[in-house]
Amino acid sequence: MRGPSGRIARFGRRLRPGRNPVARAGDRVEALLLLLAVVGAFLAIPFAAAFGSETYAAQNARAAQERTTRHPATAVSLAAASGQPYSTDGAGAPAAQTTVPAAWFDTRGARHTGDVLTDPGSPAGTRVPVWLDQRGELAGEPLSAATSAADGVFAAILLWVAITGALAGLYGIARFVLTRFHAAAWDRAWAQARHDSRF
């Protein structure tokens, strides 16, 4: 039987080898390990969800803290940006941004300078939006609610994949050992059969 239904049927037979009259003890051990791996994967779901929820809450708190300590401002470039405004690979896509020296003023009116990102080929005097911290220094844009949610979902999925991957790896190792054990048992049985046939 082929297709999804055939794979499901084979999976079911692997989980229940006791119905097979030629099932070996190793087959039952393998079935038990497979069942434990499947159950473990399902039990890992609430733990992964809780971990994702905690990550989301932590990122939300971080985002709230960043929104209270950072504010938008405008920097003015002090030199022309090098490079071409479009990539030369023939696709016509905008080239990656480049750094250029710029100046800006903080909320107290103090002047600051530093390197900011701007489009290649931008002339001197280009106005560049930036984010500043409480000291007036450059800072990253505060985390958004969408980013916090995405981080939480990604953390949950990553943890679940790690747990299920570990369970699948352990099952694979156990199955390999059992397969080698079964092969050795067959070799011994054939050797004994050849020995008995001589008499």
Side-chain angles (χ1 to χ4, degrees):
M1 186 180 297
R2 298 180 179 179
S5 59
R7 288 191 290 269
I8 293 174
R10 289 195 298 272
F11 183 76
R13 288 194 298 270
R14 185 170 294 175
L15 279 176
R16 297 178 296 176
R19 296 189 174 187
N20 190 337
V22 296
R24 300 159 294 188
D27 295 327
R28 293 182 174 85
V29 172
E30 181 181 338
L32 176 61
L33 293 175
L34 178 58
L35 179 62
L36 291 176
V38 172
V39 172
F42 278 104
L43 292 179
I45 294 177
F47 290 100
F51 180 72
S53 179
E54 290 180 1
T55 302
Y56 171 69
Q59 292 295 81
N60 250 355
R62 175 186 169 187
Q65 189 270 338
E66 289 179 350
R67 284 193 295 269
T68 59
T69 58
R70 300 179 186 182
H71 62 277
T74 301
V76 178
S77 62
L78 302 176
S82 61
Q84 298 294 326
Y86 291 91
S87 62
T88 58
D89 59 3
Q97 289 189 311
T98 184
T99 58
V100 64
W104 63 90
F105 293 91
D106 61 22
T107 55
R108 298 183 300 273
R111 186 175 185 270
H112 297 260
T113 58
D115 291 336
V116 299
L117 287 173
T118 189
D119 295 330
S122 299
T126 298
R127 298 171 66 83
V128 181
V130 294
W131 285 85
L132 306 179
D133 60 18
Q134 292 175 316
R135 298 175 300 175
E137 300 296 335
L138 292 173
E141 183 178 355
L143 289 176
S144 65
T147 301
S148 299
D151 288 345
V153 172
F154 179 75
I157 294 175
L158 186 63
L159 178 61
W160 186 80
V161 169
I163 293 175
T164 53
L167 291 173
L170 291 174
Y171 170 73
I173 293 173
R175 188 180 181 191
F176 174 78
V177 172
L178 289 172
T179 301
R180 295 294 298 271
F181 176 79
H182 291 156
W186 273 109
D187 291 341
R188 289 193 300 270
W190 277 111
Q192 184 64 39
R194 286 195 299 269
H195 179 269
D196 294 342
S197 65
R198 296 176 184 175
F199 298 95

